Amino acid sequence: MNDADDRGVPDIDRIPEGPAAPDRIGTGERMGDPATVPDPAEVEVPDDFREEIERLMALYPDRRSATIPALHAAQARYGWCSPEALRQVAAVMQVTPSYLSSVASFYDQLNEQPVGRRHVFVCTGVACHVVHAKRVYDAIAEEARVTGLEDTEVREFECLGACDMAPIASVDGRYIGPLDPSDAPEIVASIREGRTPLPGRGLEDSDYRLPWGGRA
Amino acid sequence: MEPDELLHELEESGLRGRGGAGFAMGKKASFLPKGSMDKYLCCNADESEPGAFKDRLLLQRNPHQLVEGILIGAAAAGANRAFIYIRGEYELQAEILDRAIREAYDKGYVGERILGSEHSISLVLHRGAGAYICGEETALPDSLEGKRGNPRLKPPFPANAGLYQGPTLINNVETLCNVPAIIENGAEWFKSVGTEKSTGTKIVSVSGNVRRPGNYEIELGMPSRDIVYGLAGGPPEGRRVKCWFPGGSSAPVLVEKDLDLSYDFETMAEAGSMLGSGSIIVVDDSQSIVSLALRLAEFYRHESCGKCTPCREGTNWTVKMLERVESGEATPADLDVMADVQTNIIGNCLCVLGDSMAMPVGSMIEKFRDEFEEHIEQARRRNGGLPLAAHGGRADEAVGSTAA
Ligand SMILES: Cc1cc2nc3c(=O)[nH]c(=O)nc-3n(C[C@H](O)[C@H](O)[C@H](O)COP(=O)(O)O)c2cc1C
Ligand code: FES
């Protein structure tokens, strides 16, 4: 219920202030000016990483088209789009780090914060919502919390494009479902122990079947 | 076959886009200007609309069919560079497709001077990174150019100024997968099933409260009930259909009796909804319409790119109003404000993402107003507020009463 001030005007919930812009410069470490194209001579980039980005740029008529693929590659290598990772990509692509950051901040899969190298995306999209996906998410998030699962991002996600498997989660890109809250301990334990969660219940498993017998 | 013949066959077939808008594919391909400039074909595999999962199946099981469709589509439109924009979450599908593309290159079906002819075409698989808006036909080129995926003002349309400002044909995965069979068997063959204006077959993705969720290939014009009950098994034991989305979460909801309608583009439009991407989400009578509307609105708020005001603000305020409905702070008058906001979003945005929330939410308020009001009333009682009826439901007094 709302409180009202003494003029009888109800106190409406204000939009909470958004998070402060992350400190791109980092903790005192000199990272260069994000609005300047880095001088390639001043940035050390591992050879294989440089080659990977160059190969991506060559696929397109305009090298900037390789931005998202290069950021995917950076994230796969460094775990997140860290200021240093952005600087390396910027040096190879000859764009500014702030341009890369403007792109990274737009896309859900690109992280400018270290959220964990492992990812559990639990779909709570509309089709999953009606089969109680939120309970699955809550169970996994709670299990991860109480067991202290580290280096893992557990988050709600919008439709993963597998509503036939609802409720579903993507664990490091592997789709598993339909899930029940009681699957949470096994999912979390297998991530911790480096096992494949719920073998046979992943979309790519050759014997995968929906509960009613259909293929997905 | 020459490009003109290909175009003719595609136009004759009546094939309509399977990605949402249902625009005639052959006609769209014919809009690309002639001439020797670089032209592009973008296959839209961004599939991110809640309820849609048909492209996933095609990418996973029929990648070669898609590659073939892209090559023929590109030949018809005169495109020399093709891209597949696949959503970032489809990692398995991207791997499968990547293999199929490499095989096509190895065989000489793609690349320089295809099979010794003078035609050359490149094909690149491009992974997105999690943004529903990038499936929109003007945001997709921006994203592919390495930018934030913001839609552009239309016109110009992509056929004239799309990717890299060049002429661009954008088609959905399923649309392009239909192309090889049409060229092989002819337009007449394709038209021999379906209705007059909705030709051919369609893959429908059925999900939600049904016993056999999945993808089903149907003849357009099939009774909707036969799809929901006959194929997908209907809602679980003892449950009834409360409402259903005939074309993904962007489609206005229809109710039980509408299941008697024929499932095709025109009939769904006449019923005030749309066939869209052909994704049917079934909602049974155990579900709360308020929490369904809220979940839906949250999706569009999250996915709004923020470029235009009606969508950015409209989705945000709709979520806030629905939260008030859910928590019991709203009054029935708020429902009118909310319905009004939806009306003001529709037709006033750069792209139809805003409309995609406004249409279903508006339809829920219209068709389930009693339930919204009952929910408000019950939530207020739970919160210890006075029943609204005592105030005649007027917004100003009602708010004052909660404050007391
Ligand atoms: C917000 C939004 C998202 C869209 N997402 C997709 C998508 O993921 N896949 C798709 O094929 N079409 C999507 N569309 C429709 C496209 O704009 C476009 O109409 C379609 O790709 C054209 O292909 P078609 O004519 O073969 O259907 C989306 C539209 C909007 C407004
Ligand atoms: S809504 Fe969860 S996969 Fe589609």
Side-chain angles (χ1 to χ4, degrees):
Chain A
M1 266 190 300
N2 287 324
D3 292 326
D5 66 18
D6 49 16
R7 289 162 301 156
V9 179
D11 187 13
I12 310 168
D13 286 343
R14 303 284 164 197
I15 305 172
E17 279 181 37
D23 179 7
R24 309 233 177 279
I25 309 298
T27 48
E29 195 188 343
R30 294 265 329 244
M31 216 46 103
D33 178 4
T36 308
V37 177
D39 179 350
E42 285 177 11
V43 184
E44 226 175 280
V45 185
D47 284 343
D48 57 337
F49 190 39
R50 175 190 302 282
E51 280 158 22
E52 186 175 4
I53 297 170
E54 283 169 350
R55 184 186 62 78
L56 291 168
M57 286 194 290
L59 292 174
Y60 303 91
D62 179 335
R63 70 182 195 289
R64 276 169 306 184
S65 282
T67 304
I68 295 176
L71 292 174
H72 270 305
Q75 195 157 285
R77 174 175 286 260
Y78 297 108
W80 59 298
C81 294
S82 64
E84 176 55 26
L86 293 190
R87 208 161 103 89
Q88 293 185 7
V89 176
V92 181
M93 289 188 68
Q94 283 298 288
V95 295
T96 64
S98 55
Y99 159 73
L100 296 178
S101 172
S102 81
V103 174
S105 62
F106 189 84
Y107 296 93
D108 279 357
Q109 286 190 303
L110 300 173
N111 296 307
E112 289 190 280
Q113 308 291 330
V115 291
R117 277 180 184 264
R118 312 286 309 267
H119 305 278
V120 184
F121 299 155
V122 185
C123 179
T124 51
V126 171
C128 285
H129 165 84
V130 300
V131 290
H132 310 297
K134 189 72 166 62
R135 293 180 197 160
V136 174
Y137 167 74
D138 288 344
I140 297 176
E142 179 64 9
E143 180 72 17
R145 195 185 61 78
V146 299
T147 61
L149 184 65
E150 285 174 1
D151 200 21
T152 306
E153 177 192 31
V154 180
R155 62 178 285 196
E156 289 183 66
F157 214 82
E158 291 296 352
C159 182
L160 285 164
C163 326
D164 45 350
M165 298 168 67
I168 175 200
S170 162
V171 178
D172 296 326
R174 179 171 174 269
Y175 281 24
I176 47 174
L179 299 176
D180 187 83
S182 63
D183 292 319
E186 178 50 28
I187 293 171
V188 171
S190 56
I191 293 172
R192 177 176 298 106
E193 293 156 19
R195 286 184 282 117
T196 301
L198 308 180
R201 288 171 64 190
L203 180 59
E204 61 209 78
D205 299 343
S206 54
D207 48 353
Y208 181 79
R209 285 286 181 282
L210 293 166
W212 59 268
R215 290 184 80 178
Chain B
M1 276 167 99
E2 291 303 309
D4 279 351
E5 295 169 272
L6 293 172
L7 272 183
H8 178 77
E9 210 61 31
L10 290 171
E11 282 189 63
E12 271 300 297
S13 74
L15 171 63
R16 295 174 65 165
R18 265 55 171 151
F23 197 83
M25 193 243 162
K27 196 177 211 166
K28 190 153 76 176
S30 74
F31 287 161
L32 268 72
K34 309 274 174 261
S36 61
M37 68 287 248
D38 272 340
K39 285 181 242 172
Y40 307 94
L41 182 148
C42 294
C43 167
N44 193 342
D46 192 47
E47 184 159 76
S48 310
E49 171 153 330
F53 51 93
K54 63 184 176 68
D55 298 342
R56 189 204 77 216
L57 184 82
L58 291 167
L59 295 164
Q60 223 171 291
R61 303 221 187 275
N62 299 37
H64 298 102
Q65 187 180 349
L66 177 62
V67 171
E68 194 180 344
I70 289 171
L71 295 176
I72 300 173
N80 58 332
R81 281 181 180 271
F83 295 90
I84 303 174
Y85 188 104
I86 187 169
R87 66 176 295 185
E89 294 82 2
Y90 282 176
E91 292 182 29
L92 168 68
Q93 293 75 15
E95 252 172 60
I96 293 172
L97 199 52
D98 193 44
R99 232 176 357 235
I101 294 172
R102 266 185 285 128
E103 282 166 13
Y105 266 105
D106 289 346
K107 292 263 181 196
Y109 301 148
V110 189
E112 295 292 319
R113 305 183 66 86
I114 305 172
L115 299 177
S117 72
E118 74 270 32
H119 295 292
S120 297
I121 183 159
S122 65
L123 175 56
V124 173
L125 178 64
H126 184 91
R127 276 184 66 207
Y132 166 60
I133 188 64
C134 294
E136 198 275 337
E137 63 177 6
T138 60
L140 188 149
D142 261 34
S143 179
L144 194 39
E145 288 170 13
K147 303 178 193 147
R148 297 162 69 91
N150 289 326
R152 304 171 182 172
L153 190 63
K154 288 184 275 194
F157 289 92
N160 288 311
L163 188 60
Y164 309 120
Q165 293 300 323
T168 307
L169 175 64
I170 301 181
N171 274 123
N172 170 258
V173 170
E174 188 190 354
T175 313
L176 290 164
C177 279
N178 272 300
V179 168
I182 292 174
I183 299 305
E184 186 169 347
N185 303 304
E188 286 306 319
W189 168 84
F190 186 75
K191 278 199 291 199
S192 67
V193 292
T195 70
E196 194 194 331
K197 289 189 179 141
S198 301
T199 54
T201 63
K202 171 91 190 74
I203 302 180
V204 280
S205 309
V206 192
S207 66
N209 303 125
V210 288
R211 292 180 227 203
R212 293 192 293 273
N215 282 308
Y216 297 94
E217 183 171 7
I218 58 135
E219 174 172 1
L220 283 166
M222 181 171 176
S224 306
R225 193 177 297 278
D226 292 352
I227 303 172
V228 170
Y229 278 88
L231 296 172
E237 189 72 45
R239 290 285 163 209
R240 290 171 51 92
V241 173
K242 176 178 193 154
C243 63
W244 55 292
F245 299 82
S249 69
S250 308
V253 294
L254 296 177
V255 294
E256 218 283 332
K257 68 170 172 26
D258 298 319
L259 285 171
D260 293 326
L261 298 172
S262 137
Y263 193 72
D264 58 64
F265 286 101
E266 312 91 86
T267 311
M268 288 300 118
E270 278 161 24
S273 189
M274 60 184 198
L275 188 131
S277 54
S279 317
I280 298 181
I281 310 174
V282 177
V283 179
D284 75 19
D285 57 357
S286 69
Q287 303 291 326
S288 149
I289 200 81
V290 177
S291 84
L292 181 69
L294 177 57
R295 188 69 275 282
L296 186 109
E298 284 171 343
F299 167 73
Y300 291 99
R301 173 173 73 174
H302 178 77
E303 300 296 340
S304 174
C305 78
K307 184 170 175 176
C308 76
T309 315
C311 175
R312 181 187 63 238
E313 298 301 317
T315 53
N316 188 33
W317 284 101
T318 301
V319 169
K320 291 191 160 299
M321 285 187 280
L322 283 165
E323 281 169 351
R324 283 165 61 87
V325 171
E326 177 105 315
S327 65
E329 290 169 86
T331 71
D334 285 330
L335 296 176
D336 295 327
V337 177
M338 198 154 67
D340 193 44
V341 167
Q342 309 314 311
T343 317
N344 279 299
I345 293 173
I346 295 172
N348 291 326
C349 304
L350 265 174
C351 80
V352 294
L353 188 140
D355 302 44
S356 300
M357 175 203 70
M359 294 187 301
V361 169
S363 74
M364 287 181 205
I365 300 172
E366 187 194 316
K367 291 180 178 163
F368 294 93
R369 183 155 182 132
D370 289 353
E371 190 183 326
F372 275 97
E373 291 188 1
E374 199 184 308
H375 184 99
I376 291 172
E377 183 70 24
Q378 280 180 2
R380 286 169 61 85
R381 280 174 193 269
R382 255 200 323 275
N383 293 349
L386 293 176
L388 278 171
H391 297 276
R394 275 183 45 210
D396 49 355
E397 291 181 20
V399 173
S401 76
T402 41

